[in-house]
């Protein structure tokens, strides 16, 4: 069945599978010490225009978040996130599992407003009994957000400045980073992000890999004995080659950017179709996720023709659903969507 | 100096010290297995009109909260609390330290509204992807709240009903329970609380003891091997007698209630003085904590004559302060307050 | 270079890669809810002759150990393991990270002796102050052990009986289970293991998969909301298909057993070569790992021709090394080994 | 009943109770910021001959161990202890609860042998795959040990040297430190201990206080925001005065040393009585705990006359028991013992 359910419904980009086959019988050392990991790291450093970046591969997004956050926070610190942030609501309390609080801020379309952040930090330090409170020790952003929205360069610069004023790292969850970078509305490049964030990850799982996220420490700030900390969290992949080979392929000949651009083009065409059909948007995003409002009757019919995500009840007779494109979305898929509406 | 800073500025009620001296040379077994602990438990069960209650003593309030919450929650659960709840803001992330999330609800004068709670639970289970979310596994109330406000019997009954409908325990933080029970505005008795809550604690530290909180499990629901779990959390007192003797004294001849009533009488007189002096209330509570708004100039002067708590900035020229009475507040103290204003 | 360094140096068995390609463009739901996971589970249940078995897939061995152990232990319990057990020494304290102690027992060639286990449990409960001690809450075995040795059916039956007498689950780490099952010295079948253990995992990473371990709960004892607990530990794979497809392939046409048997045949031939060359064994195991003692001079020469694992210093002039075969070892590899010695 | 069961069976030294009464109505700030805490810290610094020492008060021994160890270890580290160390066996896994492994060493009469420690550290770093192992990050000693034995100055100097060579802190659990310092066989002074250890605690609970342990950081190495970390662990006492007043009293006019000396004198007399009665020692210690072997018949009789601790079964017909003296032991108590044997 045709699916717009999410951006991780298909397998991997064919070039990744090809490379896995090509290299399959090479005898390689484990735990990320192989030559493909090295090569992938080098290519990522180049793409980030950050020669000194320290790159580490992890298997999934929640894992990346909990490993990065728990190893970078000090014992007395928590992480600031939007109330709608993935770590706040949809990771089963993975950050709290590591002993740290998620300090939730009000948001706007999934984004932390710089003023809100600044006020929070100012008033924290104004409180005389803050020794009994969780210290804000990091800012977590998702970009694109869970609503597909994007931070502007100006916003990210402000947030970065605030973080550095308070001497706490800025961390970006880039599960869908490719789709953000390739959005026509984005004025942020990968080097911008590497410059403004202290640590971020480049999502593979949702952008064409079987699995894998590339964590990038940009300020020579990778925690000591990081491999041990990954192992301790049960997150160290024995055949690290699986991650190295995938990212090496994604960062060869701009594949990561090309397939992200394709998803965005498909999303733009999808938006045009939706407009033409006079569908009501709940949130029209500049990236690969669109949120629309459907009558419950129509929703039932649509369900028989294609897959999508239930998002939330809108009112008694309407529902919000999410439609996502990805590297694997085809013109044919869009045609089915058009006909189904 | 005269102090209205809080309700734990003085030592212990003299009868407690007397009893400590009287019993000092008795050779008693450790870890809460002595006869004074037994006697105190029996008296507390009687006061709660709950013969089957399981009573355990802990040293402090944050400790009681983190031990009770972390031992009663299942691994996949978090605890619901008001955004202003003590566990949400002023316990340094002690609940998160145990690996569980505090699920924060909007509140009104420190209280969770039954409707807000019900909506939260309803919509949690309506969300199709709640397997990736933290399950609500307990409701935490403080009574009196951090603002000195009280739940009515009707409110507590509603909340209790909601909890039981969703099969999650209701837990009451009674750090200042005595002051709540003795408030003229309270329509809740200790047996009511024992009936409506699954677990709660009777605060000693803020009601005349040197230290100590009595945790009461009302539904035969004390976690298995609870002593081991307390020990594991570094919370087991070797000389358990120190807690047993204090609570035995507090629950002899209604001492706990008498000294609480005294604090409330002092608070009522304090409120009258404040009104007479035309002081603006930020929040006039029915218990022993009052929140008033002072001009910054006046605040400076007052600071020289007596101690109080800074609460928060009100505006450029005004500040909110807290004045608390306790078992040890005297008429003389109030006279100083009157003269100082 | 030819490598006997370990059993996870090559990629995946070609049939796995083929299947990944074949299924690549199918749009499948995430998180292990796809049809390949279902099919793989069904086949594993059949292979275990345990229709009611609950099967769950995880990415790696340390992850499987920490997820299984931390979700099955009660708060007051720890896990018993051999001092040389993988969880005791080579997983960076992943079990302790979850708040539980590893209770280490003396071992013999990596194996827990039933008598030692029984004595430990007996004396634990004889100790009057065991409420202050970590309760033994599970027994962890690795089979084959870290030394390639195997439990006999008699031993496993005794250990299983002891566990059940003390009402604690028996858990088997089967990272190399295939190599154990196919050893000519083994008298244990997969159904035997499913019958005697309460939970175990069938290792994929070291037996031909890119990654993946299949956890099998045999007594209808999978912890509640297990998916949530996996997510909370950062261990839930978004594209669960990657695990489902691999295990579906491994358990089609006995592939798992065939490739394990091949590794064992290669190991037997390797042992014959080593004997012929009069190499001293440190430990000659019945599975795919062999431990030999080499003069340091010889070791240096060998290093230039093939890869192996350093194990430990034997004396001033000798070293213990490990040689491992796997599903991908060839006759050609053995020839090189023979010529190199 | 007369009791030699342990050294925490009586209440507090009368001077402590007196001081609590004297100061009872003073209105003091909470959480250890009062003047008695300050005064006690100053006196402890003087007694340690270590002006720069940072002193913090905690309520109990297990709490002190878990707070100190978990705040000083790095994430990838565990703590080395004797197999018989209190943290290894009798604290319900409190260290593991904080996510860190206790690395257990073989011991001799409860003491870590310097050579054993050195070999352990040497071979840890020799192991090529130690990135997958728990790093040794601290050495924990109890002094006196759980068997009442003492480290000599030479031993402590060697251990201190080894720790500093490997750049890990040396931590001494001084639950019974007073009894160690006052033993005629001890050649270690409090300033020696402050010089050789990086952190240690001076036990109050077992040496005349109602509760309380004074943690001493000797190298300006107290973890940042230590009060917050204590609060997070539920270990911050609201009425910190309770600890401050007790330690201020114990360190006034040498009270701590005087009452410790008394316990030792009583122990020496007890040993003389035991020898005279031809009792078999299991371990005759130089401090306040003695371990003797009794026929089970005799044990039953003794039980009716006085209290003692069961230690362990010796053989079919004999049992090891522990007899402890303390600051409160009297000549009268010894007379009863003599007559009872």
């Amino acid at each position: 069945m045709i699916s717009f359910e999410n951006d991780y419904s298909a397998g991997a980009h064919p070039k990744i599978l090809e490379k896995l086959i090509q290299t399959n019988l090479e005898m390689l050392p484990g735990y990320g010490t192989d030559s493909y990991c090295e090569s992938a790291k080098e290519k990522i450093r180049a793409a980030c225009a950050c020669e000194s970046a320290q790159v580490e591969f992890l298997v999934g997004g929640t894992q990346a978040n909990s490993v990065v956050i728990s190893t970078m926070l000090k014992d007395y610190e928590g992480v600031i996130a939007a109330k709608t942030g993935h770590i706040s609501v949809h990771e089963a309390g993975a950050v709290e599992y590591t002993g740290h609080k998620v300090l939730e801020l009000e948001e706007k379309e999934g984004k932390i407003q710089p003023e809100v952040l600044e006020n929070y930090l100012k008033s924290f330090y104004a409180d005389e009994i803050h020794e009994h409170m969780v210290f804000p020790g990091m800012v977590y952003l998702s970009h694109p957000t869970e609503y597909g929205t994007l931070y502007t360069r100006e916003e990210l610069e402000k947030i970065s400045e605030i973080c550095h004023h308070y001497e706490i790292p800025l961390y970006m969850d880039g599960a869908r980073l490719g789709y953000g970078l390739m959005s026509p509305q984005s004025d942020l490049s990968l080097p911008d992000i590497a410059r403004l964030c202290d640590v971020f990850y480049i999502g593979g799982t949702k952008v064409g890999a079987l699995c894998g996220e590339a964590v990038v420490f940009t300020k020579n700030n990778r925690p000591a004995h990081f491999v041990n900390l990954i192992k301790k969290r049960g997150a160290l992949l024995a055949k690290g080659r699986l991650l190295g080979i995938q990212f090496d392929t994604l960062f060869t000949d701009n594949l990561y950017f090309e397939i992200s651009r394709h998803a965005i083009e498909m999303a733009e065409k999808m938006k045009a179709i939706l407009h033409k059909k006079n569908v009501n948007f709940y949130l029209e995003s500049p990236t690969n996720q669109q949120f629309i409002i459907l009558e419950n009757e129509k929703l039932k019919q649509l369900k028989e023709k294609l897959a999508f995500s239930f998002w939330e009840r809108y009112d008694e007779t309407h529902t919000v659903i999410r439609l996502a494109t990805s590297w694997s979305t085809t013109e044919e898929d869009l045609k089915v969507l058009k006909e189904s509406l």
Side-chain angles (χ1 to χ4, degrees), chain A residues 274-317:
Chain A
L274 294 168
H275 279 297
K276 221 173 204 166
K277 295 281 183 181
N278 287 317
V279 170
N280 285 321
F281 277 84
Y282 174 73
L283 199 152
E284 183 177 351
S285 96
T287 60
N288 73 317
Q289 303 181 79
Q290 305 305 327
F291 301 83
I292 60 172
I293 304 167
L294 283 189
E295 276 178 35
N296 294 345
E297 263 320 293
K298 204 150 200 173
L299 184 140
K300 252 192 224 164
Q301 292 163 23
L302 198 63
K303 224 174 188 169
E304 281 161 33
K305 290 172 194 152
L306 41 80
F308 48 82
S309 283
F310 165 87
W311 201 253
E312 62 185 61
R313 233 141 287 211
Y314 185 74
D315 62 24
E316 289 295 295
T317 53

Side-chain angles (χ1 to χ4, degrees), chain A residues 91-102:
Chain A
E91 300 192 351
V95 170
E96 289 84 359
Y97 184 65
T98 72
H100 296 280
K101 189 177 182 73
V102 179

